[in-house]
Amino acid sequence: MINRVGVAVVGVGNNTSALVQGIAFYRASGSLVGIHRPEIDGLGVGDIDFVAAFALSAGKVGKDLTEAIFAAPNNFPRLQTETPPSGVLVQRGLTDATGIDRIAEALAGTEVVLYSAPSGLPEVARAYAEAALRAGAAFVNTTSDVVARDPELVERFEAAGLPLLGDDLTSQFGTSIVHRTLLGLLEERGLTLASSYQVNLGGTEDFRNLAENGGSKKQSKVNALNADRSTADKVQMAPIGYLSQLGSEKVAYLNIEARGWGDTSVSLDVKLKVHDPSGGAGVTIDLVRMAAGALRAGRGGYAGEAAALLKSPPGTAG
């Protein structure tokens, strides 16, 4: 029998709500709908136990995790399954680099720390990574803040035999993966890219935060599209837009202008609408299991198998 993975989650927002509810859904139903990898290193999607949680919102701190995920301003919908109490009370998280020892102590017995707080807080992200190091836990950074792209930090995790995965997950079926695939198809079929742009609109608090503090996220999206830098000067990212009426849904618009045989024009416009937290959870569940598998195998540092699930893995721009 596989021992379940003890996971501590930092940030109790929409992405965490989608992950917690989704795990309960798959345990109860046995469904494989929406799952890319039913098993990773022998771990199924239901083999995750949340053992600690951290947040800053007064409406979430002190509540059971499965109650806190529905507290405002979270707006990811309730899935059609019962989410039983977890027995994990949400603790107050960090606002800066002080209090690392308190967090490390709270992480006792944790195998994987999942950092899912808002992007744009690099000092806080590194503080949690430091706490994971002290607690002997793997660390997964789903935000665009630089953690796994820091060579010194990766080296310290490797020396400690602890996995470090990041930065910034690529949504299961989001704008970046669709855009990147279309650009790759253009090249594969011999067309010449003239220009392209991407517009992202959403109604979650993460979108509100990124609309105000979106610098690192914009760079991460550029990283996701331009691994070889060949199209960097032809692809533009509009500032991320926040529209509360969209709720947990994201609406994205893509345009590609190209030249084909005989220098004739090709134009493509795409609209994508998804529940953004679902797309995050569908990838996070794989990253967590990869981190747990690497930890149990004694492989520290960056896990290369995670690269396809990340916008900004080590080696990309900060």
Side-chain angles (χ1 to χ4, degrees):
M1 179 178 178
I2 292 290
N3 291 326
R4 288 182 176 175
V5 180
V7 174
V9 62
V10 180
V12 186
N14 281 301
N15 287 357
T16 298
S17 177
L19 183 65
V20 172
Q21 290 192 70
I23 290 172
F25 168 79
Y26 288 112
R27 281 181 182 170
S29 67
S31 171
L32 294 178
V33 171
I35 294 176
H36 183 206
R37 299 174 177 89
E39 281 196 4
I40 295 177
D41 292 324
L43 296 167
V45 296
D47 294 328
I48 305 296
D49 280 337
F50 293 96
V51 296
F54 304 91
L56 295 176
S57 170
K60 297 174 182 176
V61 173
K63 292 183 177 178
D64 187 276
L65 176 60
T66 56
E67 179 184 1
I69 57 175
F70 298 113
N74 288 9
N75 55 13
F76 182 72
R78 290 178 181 262
L79 301 182
Q80 297 301 309
T81 190
E82 182 180 354
T83 308
S86 66
V88 174
L89 295 183
V90 178
Q91 302 176 57
R92 181 162 181 80
L94 300 176
T95 57
D96 53 35
T98 60
I100 293 175
D101 285 338
R102 172 177 66 85
I103 300 298
E105 185 176 345
L107 292 176
T110 298
E111 286 188 88
V112 179
V113 177
L114 173 62
Y115 186 76
S116 188
S119 293
L121 301 168
E123 184 180 346
V124 174
R126 288 181 59 87
Y128 277 105
E130 181 67 36
L133 259 174
R134 296 182 190 182
F139 192 80
V140 176
N141 176 33
T142 70
T143 78
S144 56
D145 293 325
V146 176
V147 178
R149 281 168 287 172
D150 183 332
E152 181 183 353
L153 199 54
V154 173
E155 189 174 299
R156 290 178 62 203
F157 269 82
E158 185 172 4
L162 302 172
L164 174 60
L165 280 64
D167 298 318
D168 200 9
L169 58 81
T170 297
S171 186
Q172 189 175 22
F173 196 78
T175 323
S176 295
I177 192 67
V178 172
H179 201 170
R180 184 171 67 194
T181 300
L182 290 172
L183 291 175
L185 183 61
L186 219 69
E187 182 178 4
E188 179 185 322
R189 304 302 293 175
L191 281 77
T192 300
L193 177 67
S195 66
S196 184
Y197 65 76
Q198 179 184 130
V199 179
N200 291 275
L201 306 170
T204 66
E205 281 300 293
D206 192 42
F207 266 86
R208 184 202 291 270
N209 171 63
L210 291 172
E212 299 171 357
N213 307 290
S216 63
K217 189 69 173 182
K218 183 175 181 181
Q219 180 60 60
S220 194
K221 281 183 168 292
V222 171
N223 291 343
L225 295 179
N226 299 297
D228 60 2
R229 314 303 297 167
S230 62
T231 61
D233 61 334
K234 297 179 180 179
V235 179
Q236 295 186 40
M237 302 285 168
I240 289 174
Y242 170 74
L243 296 172
S244 60
Q245 58 264 46
L246 289 177
S248 73
E249 290 185 310
K250 173 174 72 177
V251 178
Y253 297 92
L254 306 175
N255 168 265
I256 295 175
E257 302 293 334
R259 309 301 295 181
W261 176 264
D263 201 22
T264 54
S265 63
V266 175
S267 183
L268 176 66
D269 289 287
V270 176
K271 176 185 176 182
L272 174 67
K273 188 174 184 179
V274 296
H275 278 279
D276 201 43
S278 290
V283 173
T284 298
I285 189 66
D286 289 357
L287 290 171
V288 166
R289 290 182 292 165
M290 286 177 183
L295 180 71
R296 293 177 176 186
R299 294 186 285 114
Y302 174 65
E305 62 268 29
L309 306 180
L310 300 164
K311 289 189 179 80
S312 296
T316 53

